[in-house]
Amino acid sequence: MFLPVVLGLIPLSSAAALYSTYNFDPLEHLGGVAPYFSPQDPPTDPDPPQGCIPVRAAYLVRHAAIYANDFDYEEYLEPFIKKLENHTSIDWSKIPSLSFLATWVPPVTEAEEELLTRVGKLEATQLGVSLSFRYPGFRTPQRVWASSAERTFESAKALVRAFELDDNTINVVSIYESEEGGADTLTPYDSCPAYSSSAGSEQSAVYQEKFTKPIMARLNAQAPGFNFTSDDIYGMMELCGYESVIRGRSPFCDLDLFSPDDWLGWEYTADVQYHYNVGYGNDVAGVIGLPWFNATANLLMGAEADGASQDLYVSFTHRELPPTVLVAMGLFNNSEFGGSEATINDTMPLDRINHRRAWKSSHVLPFLSNIAVERLNCTGSYGHSDGDYYRVLVNDAPQELPDCGDGPGTSCSRQGFTTYLNDRVARFEGYSDKCGVDYKNSTDVLTIYSDPKIGNGTAVGKRAVESKHLRYNGRIAKLAGL
Ligand SMILES: *[C@@H]1O[C@H](CO)[C@@H](O)[C@H](O)[C@H]1NC(C)=O
Ligand SMILES: *[C@@H]1O[C@H](CO)[C@@H](O)[C@H](O)[C@H]1NC(C)=O
Ligand SMILES: *[C@@H]1O[C@H](CO)[C@@H](O)[C@H](O)[C@H]1NC(C)=O
Ligand SMILES: *[C@@H]1O[C@H](CO)[C@@H](O)[C@H](O)[C@H]1NC(C)=O
Ligand SMILES: *[C@@H]1O[C@H](CO)[C@@H](O)[C@H](O)[C@H]1NC(C)=O
Ligand SMILES: *[C@@H]1O[C@H](CO)[C@@H](O)[C@H](O)[C@H]1NC(C)=O
Ligand SMILES: *[C@@H]1O[C@H](CO)[C@@H](O)[C@H](O)[C@H]1NC(C)=O
Ligand SMILES: *[C@@H]1O[C@H](CO)[C@@H](O)[C@H](O)[C@H]1NC(C)=O
């Protein structure tokens, strides 16, 4: 008799707090295999600050969701899938957390590696629509830029289709992924000899070993004979991300199979890898990221007459470039408050997780991850004079730039931004030298947005398969034949 009376007095919200409100979504902890989401890191307001309207903006976007990249496929997915096919004698249906394996069909074949999934195409189109909502006053862009791989080019096409009201009004300009392109491409890590695509694997292997050990022991106890390895576990967890963007869901995401703490271990392993690969733990990261940031900042600050012919500049690249741009900008720096340069590697210990790190790959490089730089025209922003201000957003979340926060909201005045840019340039300029370029005709500057030699690209029809693009990747030719 007593209980109902008490409950009647408690407002619903605090009654709910009597029960566990814990929830956990593995898809938000999958680093480079995470489907697109807005992590709200930090939860700053994405709307322009009071009195401000965006007048120009530039976006650097990672391609949208793909079936699997070749490294992940060959290193983790294929060996696990092959091993499954080899172990037909195990009766998976008797093993509770793995019973789905009795009927599971792998979602990806070698032929589909690197292709955009339907989800990927849809999300790239969605990004186009949300940009048109965010910038209703902008002129439709004439050109969108993409590095020449099929997945980046196709992502650009999907975005363009959302922007176009009529067919063939926006061109996509393909920027060849040259290994000798110096700083003048959307893939400057490829042409930087000092960059190694395997950097960080040694360090991340240490944490991978640690977090997978108890999982291996558990699964090997449940399914003796399969001999789950550390890489099998890592690959199964990757499959949660890949299968989700291919089929819309995956049994590997089930929290009864891998617990939230298991996922946090996976995520930290990836974060250690990216820290040493394209983050603050790699001395050449900022050098690789600077040319895009410098070119973009100048494009936004320039007068109309300086060749800023568009209001919106969108460029598609691969997962490596956005994090290096963040380093060039000084964002998501674990040491920002109270640290120093010398201790940056200590912020990513290999024997335990630094849960309070700023550097979270799931937040900075999921599929379709994007960095925006906006020029705002502010008038009547109380406490600030009228004029030009600059603002950076990462996956929708406005970021305060280090030593550059003298404007409304998270923005920075033109004068502050100029000083800040000069500091970053002084620190990271000298691409060819610092990369140890060993080929001729390198360049330290990105000029694709203004160089007439780059050309105007090609129009994107709503549906057409343009034969021009077949050369980028033999695989699309096979697809077109279907
Ligand atoms: C599959 O079985 C064959 C024959 O026993 C063996 O040679 C091969 O290494 C196995 N492959 C895997 C991935 O386990
Ligand atoms: C299990 O796999 C590991 C790594 O491939 C290998 O070293 C070990 O010999 C295997 N154990 C059994 C019992 O097959
Ligand atoms: C962090 O570690 C990497 C790899 O060992 C090294 O190249 C880099 O110089 C270190 N950074 C600092 C600031 O010590
Ligand atoms: C990261 O923050 C520390 C501490 O403020 C600073 O010394 C260091 O220069 C920053 N690193 C970069 C690349 O901006
Ligand atoms: C900024 O806004 C003010 C007030 O609306 C307007 O007069 C001015 O032309 C704008 N400047 C630019 C560069 O758009
Ligand atoms: C470098 O540029 C010069 C002048 O444009 C050209 O003649 C030469 O072939 C180029 N060298 C290489 C290795 O591309
Ligand atoms: C930065 O951009 C300006 C304007 O385009 C250019 O003159 C300068 O050389 C660039 N510097 C670097 C290091 O990219
Ligand atoms: C690119 O487009 C501009 C403006 O539409 C035009 O003036 C120029 O000739 C075009 N360039 C090429 C190489 O087609």
Side-chain angles (χ1 to χ4, degrees):
M1 290 314 274
F2 182 64
L3 194 61
V5 176
V6 172
L7 277 181
L9 294 173
I10 299 174
L12 198 60
S13 59
S14 56
L18 289 172
Y19 306 100
S20 172
T21 54
Y22 183 76
N23 56 48
F24 186 91
D25 184 356
L27 294 177
E28 297 188 352
H29 299 275
L30 273 169
V33 194
Y36 184 69
F37 73 110
S38 293
Q40 302 197 335
D41 176 14
T44 38
D45 185 354
D47 285 343
Q50 65 173 353
C52 301
I53 53 160
V55 291
R56 215 178 281 170
Y59 279 71
L60 182 68
V61 190
R62 183 189 175 203
H63 61 76
I66 53 171
Y67 279 85
N69 85 7
D70 52 3
F71 178 80
D72 286 346
Y73 187 75
E74 279 148 36
E75 201 70 13
Y76 302 110
L77 309 187
E78 194 184 30
F80 170 70
I81 291 168
K82 285 262 157 70
K83 211 163 141 188
L84 260 186
E85 289 165 358
N86 248 11
H87 287 76
T88 45
S89 60
I90 297 177
D91 185 359
W92 297 108
S93 68
K94 299 277 192 315
I95 304 165
S97 64
L98 292 167
S99 60
F100 68 90
L101 286 177
T103 53
W104 184 73
V105 177
V108 54
T109 63
E110 197 173 356
E112 290 160 331
E113 264 177 46
E114 318 257 293
L115 294 177
L116 286 188
T117 68
R118 290 182 178 82
V119 167
K121 286 185 188 173
L122 183 66
E123 287 180 338
T125 301
Q126 232 163 12
L127 178 64
V129 176
S130 46
L131 293 185
S132 78
F133 290 161
R134 187 190 282 279
Y135 306 114
F138 281 14
R139 291 167 295 173
T140 304
Q142 295 171 320
R143 295 186 288 173
V144 164
W145 290 259
S147 70
S148 54
E150 199 210 323
R151 56 197 182 281
T152 40
F153 198 87
E154 288 295 316
S155 298
K157 280 168 66 179
L159 174 117
V160 159
R161 286 188 178 122
F163 255 108
E164 283 182 340
L165 291 173
D166 294 314
D167 273 5
N168 304 336
T169 50
I170 303 175
N171 283 2
V172 180
V173 183
S174 172
I175 306 296
Y176 183 61
E177 297 184 3
S178 168
E179 286 182 7
E180 301 194 345
D184 203 13
T185 67
L186 290 168
T187 47
Y189 45 90
D190 268 348
S191 42
C192 177
Y195 170 76
S196 157
S197 61
S198 61
S201 25
E202 225 172 89
Q203 291 92 339
S204 63
V206 175
Y207 200 77
Q208 180 185 324
E209 215 50 50
K210 179 179 161 77
F211 97 87
T212 54
K213 205 170 163 204
I215 308 176
M216 270 159 56
R218 171 168 58 88
L219 295 185
N220 282 327
Q222 289 171 3
F226 189 78
N227 192 17
F228 284 95
T229 63
S230 176
D231 281 357
D232 288 337
I233 306 298
Y234 197 81
M236 289 162 80
M237 296 175 87
E238 274 195 328
L239 273 167
C240 162
Y242 281 126
E243 193 174 17
S244 293
V245 297
I246 296 168
R247 293 186 171 142
R249 63 188 175 134
S250 169
F252 290 100
C253 303
D254 193 330
L255 297 180
D256 288 335
L257 177 55
F258 301 115
S259 73
D261 289 359
D262 294 342
W263 292 107
L264 294 175
W266 191 99
E267 181 179 44
Y268 190 66
T269 301
D271 290 4
V272 168
Q273 166 102 30
Y274 292 118
H275 168 79
Y276 287 104
N277 192 291
V278 285
Y280 289 87
N282 185 340
D283 297 333
V284 89
V287 173
I288 291 169
L290 180 80
W292 184 84
F293 180 47
N294 178 58
T296 298
N298 281 290
L299 206 53
L300 296 183
M301 286 198 289
E304 202 69 6
D306 293 348
S309 54
Q310 304 197 170
D311 293 337
L312 179 64
Y313 293 83
V314 184
S315 306
F316 284 89
T317 181
H318 300 268
R319 74 174 82 183
E320 290 89 344
L321 189 56
T324 64
V325 169
L326 296 176
V327 174
M329 290 178 170
L331 294 174
F332 300 94
N333 177 352
N334 287 346
S335 299
E336 180 169 3
F337 299 100
S340 76
E341 194 79 32
T343 59
I344 188 72
N345 289 336
D346 297 337
T347 65
M348 298 296 282
L350 302 182
D351 59 346
R352 65 190 178 119
I353 297 181
N354 169 7
H355 286 285
R356 285 165 191 86
R357 66 199 181 278
W359 183 257
K360 284 208 170 113
S361 59
S362 311
H363 291 188
V364 304
L365 53 83
F367 291 124
L368 209 64
S369 184
N370 56 81
I371 300 174
V373 188
E374 294 179 333
R375 170 170 165 176
L376 305 168
N377 179 4
C378 305
T379 49
S381 292
Y382 295 98
H384 299 280
S385 36
D386 295 356
D388 270 4
Y389 290 87
Y390 296 82
R391 185 171 81 143
V392 170
L393 297 90
V394 175
N395 294 325
D396 249 12
Q399 308 290 328
E400 192 151 325
L401 297 168
D403 303 318
C404 189
D406 61 349
T410 55
S411 72
C412 173
S413 68
R414 185 182 182 91
Q415 196 190 2
F417 193 64
T418 305
T419 308
Y420 159 79
L421 178 64
N422 289 342
D423 287 352
R424 302 314 287 185
V425 168
R427 182 167 179 164
F428 293 119
E429 71 189 335
Y431 174 94
S432 305
D433 247 18
K434 290 177 181 162
C435 279
V437 162
D438 49 7
Y439 50 86
K440 291 217 171 57
N441 294 351
S442 183
T443 155
D444 291 353
V445 183
L446 178 67
T447 61
I448 56 169
Y449 303 112
S450 52
D451 181 357
K453 284 204 296 292
I454 292 294
N456 288 338
T458 49
V460 173
K462 290 279 183 210
R463 273 285 167 198
V465 176
E466 288 124 280
S467 56
K468 256 201 111 170
H469 306 141
L470 298 185
R471 72 189 153 89
Y472 292 129
N473 188 326
R475 288 189 201 105
I476 185 78
K478 276 187 245 155
L479 257 201
L482 289 177

